[in-house]
Amino acid sequence: GENVEQHPSTLSVQEGDSAVIKCTYSDSASNYFPWYKQELGKRPQLIIDIRSNVGEKKDQRIAVTLNKTAKHFSLHITETQPEDSAVYFCAASIDSWGKLQFGAGTQVVVTP
Amino acid sequence: KAGVTQTPRYLIKTRGQQVTLSCSPISGHRSVSWYQQTPGQGLQFLFEYFSETQRNKGNFPGRFSGRQFSNSRSEMNVSTLELGDSALYLCASSPTGDNQPQHFGDGTRLSIL
């Protein structure tokens, strides 16, 4: 089955700097890759997603890149702010509505 | 539009008991998935329902079961509770059709004593 590895497990950045989180997946059939942000005690919230027919997608300060050949995808957050502090999860799936295989999560801490 | 609603928010049970958790999807969403979240194992897929049928199932023992009703509301049941079942159980819903993301509820925090 699908296996998703996520790195790093923790990431500390200064406010205004960029943050990058990387994920690799094993199943070449996966073609949907969402990213969720989970603040302490709250639900995971979708922040961006990408499908295999797209190499890059951007939404304001957040961008995701996908390399299907290498089976890895990355989340980029620019101009980080304290409210970006949270746990970020990557996931991979064959279908957007089906089983999401999650990475272990990255704790991001943005210090003022 | 109201989000995914899960009830109850918190639940305390003892070993050997059984429990039923409920999930009401976003209006119009027909796919409902369940996930277990623990500090040690992270987010793990339990099962997914669509039109009252289980379409996908994760690697959990048969003590974990679920169902979906004609109005798309879903329930999951855990029988013979074990200490290791203590977790946050999250429900996510998605509309029909491809390329539609899953949206999560706030979860049910289940504690086993």
Side-chain angles (χ1 to χ4, degrees):
Chain A
E2 175 66 277
N3 182 49
V4 177
E5 293 191 359
Q6 183 172 346
H7 299 280
S9 56
T10 59
L11 183 58
S12 291
V13 296
Q14 291 276 3
E15 183 178 358
D17 288 348
S18 296
V20 180
I21 304 170
K22 298 182 179 181
C23 290
T24 61
Y25 62 99
S26 61
D27 190 347
S28 57
S30 291
N31 58 22
Y32 174 68
F33 308 92
W35 286 86
Y36 286 86
K37 173 185 179 182
Q38 188 175 30
E39 297 175 69
L40 191 62
K42 297 193 174 180
R43 69 179 72 183
Q45 287 196 303
L46 178 76
I47 55 172
I48 197 167
D49 59 5
I50 192 168
R51 289 163 181 86
S52 60
N53 58 346
V54 176
E56 183 174 358
K57 184 177 178 180
K58 190 174 181 180
D59 183 4
Q60 299 182 340
R61 297 186 296 108
I62 293 174
V64 58
T65 59
L66 171 65
N67 184 326
K68 280 223 76 177
T69 303
K71 292 184 194 168
H72 67 71
F73 56 112
S74 301
L75 178 71
H76 304 253
I77 306 173
T78 58
E79 301 172 19
T80 53
Q81 300 167 4
E83 51 264 38
D84 294 329
S85 296
V87 178
Y88 291 79
F89 293 95
C90 64
S93 176
I94 294 175
D95 306 288
S96 62
W97 38 258
K99 172 184 177 179
L100 291 176
Q101 185 69 42
F102 282 91
T106 297
Q107 174 75 61
V108 173
V109 178
V110 180
T111 53
Chain B
K1 189 183 273 192
V4 178
T5 304
Q6 292 188 245
T7 56
R9 289 294 312 279
Y10 303 93
L11 208 47
I12 299 175
K13 292 287 186 179
T14 57
R15 282 182 300 172
Q17 288 187 311
Q18 74 166 12
V19 67
T20 299
L21 313 181
S22 179
C23 172
S24 292
I26 293 170
S27 177
H29 288 196
R30 292 172 60 190
S31 170
V32 174
S33 298
W34 290 87
Y35 295 84
Q36 181 195 64
Q37 186 174 27
T38 60
Q41 299 298 317
L43 278 155
Q44 293 188 289
F45 173 79
L46 282 154
F47 26 66
E48 185 247 346
Y49 286 87
F50 177 79
S51 289
E52 303 177 63
T53 301
Q54 187 181 86
R55 275 198 304 199
N56 288 288
K57 188 178 188 302
N59 296 322
F60 279 81
R63 300 185 298 107
F64 291 82
S65 62
R67 60 177 176 169
Q68 186 181 36
F69 302 95
S70 58
N71 62 357
S72 295
R73 189 178 72 85
S74 178
E75 289 181 347
M76 68 164 281
N77 183 276
V78 188
S79 62
T80 320
L81 287 165
E82 300 176 359
L83 292 177
D85 297 333
S86 293
L88 179 66
Y89 290 88
L90 291 160
C91 166
S93 75
S94 175
T96 53
D98 205 356
N99 300 324
Q100 298 295 328
Q102 297 181 32
H103 297 275
F104 283 86
D106 288 328
T108 294
R109 173 73 63 184
L110 175 63
S111 299
I112 311 302
L113 303 179

